[in-house]
Amino acid sequence: EDNISLIPGMFEQTRKQYDLVVMKQVLEHIPNFFDVLSEIVKSLTKDGLLYIEVPNLDYIFKGRSIVDLHYPHIHYFSRSFLRIVFDQLTLNILKWDYLKNSHDICFLLAKKKLYSAYVIMKDTPNYDNCESSIIANNFRTTHDNGIQNLESLAECAFSLYGANAYSQAFLSQFSDYTDNLFAIYDDSPIGLDKSAYNSLGKFDVIAPNKSIEFNEEAIIITAYLHDLHISRQLRQHGFAGKIYTVRSFLDSPVLCDLVSIFSPKVHTPI
């Protein structure tokens, strides 16, 4: 847009006041996030609003989603922690909601006013009293399941679909089990400019299409937020092999063509 100014760098308070500030998938990438939020709050007008959207740590814990623990994210936020942060910043939660089947969480915030109405977040999960060993054991179980299923593919060539942080996390966490990695696919223009890597080397990204000849027996979808659409697309392109997803739990019957690579059941070789 011609009327939008792009200013590289962190937010800094100026004399200018804003009616709306949108932070969409930003907060988790900022080292000193509280300081930046403080400057933003100071820059809001009296009736100004702040919209924040972040990945949901509660989702990661519940789903044991180890591929959501990756290098671009410096912080991971739960609802309970963010509620404390917003309170310290004198912000009211006007509205909040889950996005992408609870993978993300969003908030609409405003400066606190005397007697103002705001949303009370009941039944908010609190991990302060949880034993860290329980969470660690859940992640370890997920990782062990992934190893077992990758070992069942030891004699098969397989590929990944999705050149993103999830695929990079997968390659790093299971680098000893990717000897038979055939290719990495991605159908987005941004993904085609990327490469993935692990201890075995660098992997370029290939754009799949109807004319491509699939030579692998299995494909693991690392862009798992779109795994249903991708699996249908793969079938339309003529892929007849096994399709896995790095989604840790499959709670929908419409995902019947998919198998989680982190399922506790060891899948027989194709």
Side-chain angles (χ1 to χ4, degrees):
E1 297 292 340
D2 296 334
N3 61 339
I4 297 178
S5 300
L6 179 61
I7 305 174
M10 289 293 182
F11 182 91
E12 294 182 0
Q13 185 186 9
T14 63
R15 294 180 179 270
K16 190 173 182 179
Q17 298 287 290
Y18 300 96
D19 297 315
L20 173 65
V21 175
V22 176
M23 299 187 73
K24 188 174 181 180
Q25 304 293 332
V26 173
L27 202 62
E28 65 272 16
H29 300 275
I30 302 176
N32 56 332
F33 72 91
F34 191 89
D35 294 338
V36 172
L37 284 177
S38 298
E39 296 301 309
I40 290 175
V41 172
K42 294 174 185 176
S43 299
L44 289 175
T45 59
K46 180 181 178 181
D47 297 317
L49 299 174
L50 172 59
Y51 175 85
I52 292 179
E53 179 182 314
V54 295
N56 180 16
L57 181 62
D58 301 325
Y59 173 95
I60 296 175
F61 284 168
K62 177 184 176 182
R64 306 179 182 186
S65 185
I66 59 177
V67 295
D68 274 282
L69 303 174
H70 48 62
Y71 69 95
H73 292 174
I74 301 173
H75 302 287
Y76 296 88
F77 299 104
S78 66
R79 283 191 299 161
S80 57
F81 178 76
L82 285 174
R83 185 172 58 177
I84 295 171
V85 170
F86 298 153
D87 188 62
Q88 292 179 345
L89 291 166
T90 65
L91 289 169
N92 277 344
I93 301 173
L94 302 181
K95 294 180 181 180
W96 73 275
D97 204 352
Y98 291 121
L99 303 170
K100 302 175 185 174
N101 295 322
S102 300
H103 182 274
D104 299 334
I105 188 169
C106 63
F107 301 87
L108 184 64
L109 308 156
K111 291 182 178 180
K112 283 187 177 181
K113 300 176 183 177
L114 192 60
Y115 308 123
S116 63
Y118 60 96
V119 175
I120 298 176
M121 301 175 66
K122 297 180 180 180
D123 301 324
T124 302
N126 186 348
Y127 298 102
D128 293 340
N129 297 323
C130 281
E131 296 183 7
S132 59
S133 60
I134 295 177
I135 297 172
N137 285 335
N138 287 341
F139 283 139
R140 186 178 297 110
T141 299
T142 300
H143 187 265
D144 290 344
N145 290 342
I147 290 176
Q148 288 181 329
N149 290 325
L150 286 172
E151 286 178 339
S152 74
L153 297 174
E155 304 300 324
C156 307
F158 70 91
S159 296
L160 303 183
Y161 198 116
N164 52 25
Y166 305 128
S167 60
Q168 186 56 63
F170 185 86
L171 286 172
S172 299
Q173 294 170 13
F174 299 98
S175 59
D176 292 338
Y177 303 90
T178 57
D179 290 345
N180 297 329
L181 181 62
F182 181 77
I184 297 180
Y185 299 111
D186 199 290
D187 53 15
S188 68
I190 297 177
L192 295 177
D193 294 333
K194 298 179 180 178
S195 297
Y197 62 90
N198 64 8
S199 59
L200 299 179
K202 178 180 176 182
F203 305 92
D204 293 327
V205 180
I206 301 173
N209 54 63
K210 292 183 179 180
S211 62
I212 194 171
E213 182 178 349
F214 293 102
N215 294 310
E216 58 275 89
E217 291 93 336
I219 293 180
I220 302 173
I221 301 175
T222 48
Y224 77 88
L225 295 177
H226 310 283
D227 51 14
L228 180 59
H229 170 75
I230 292 173
S231 65
R232 290 172 176 168
Q233 191 176 49
L234 285 171
R235 295 307 186 202
Q236 291 173 359
H237 290 339
F239 179 70
K242 195 77 172 180
I243 301 178
Y244 295 87
T245 176
V246 296
R247 186 193 297 265
S248 295
F249 60 99
L250 299 177
D251 54 1
S252 173
V254 299
L255 299 176
C256 58
D257 193 36
L258 294 168
V259 178
S260 174
I261 197 67
F262 301 123
S263 168
K265 181 180 178 180
V266 177
H267 305 289
T268 56
I270 301 170

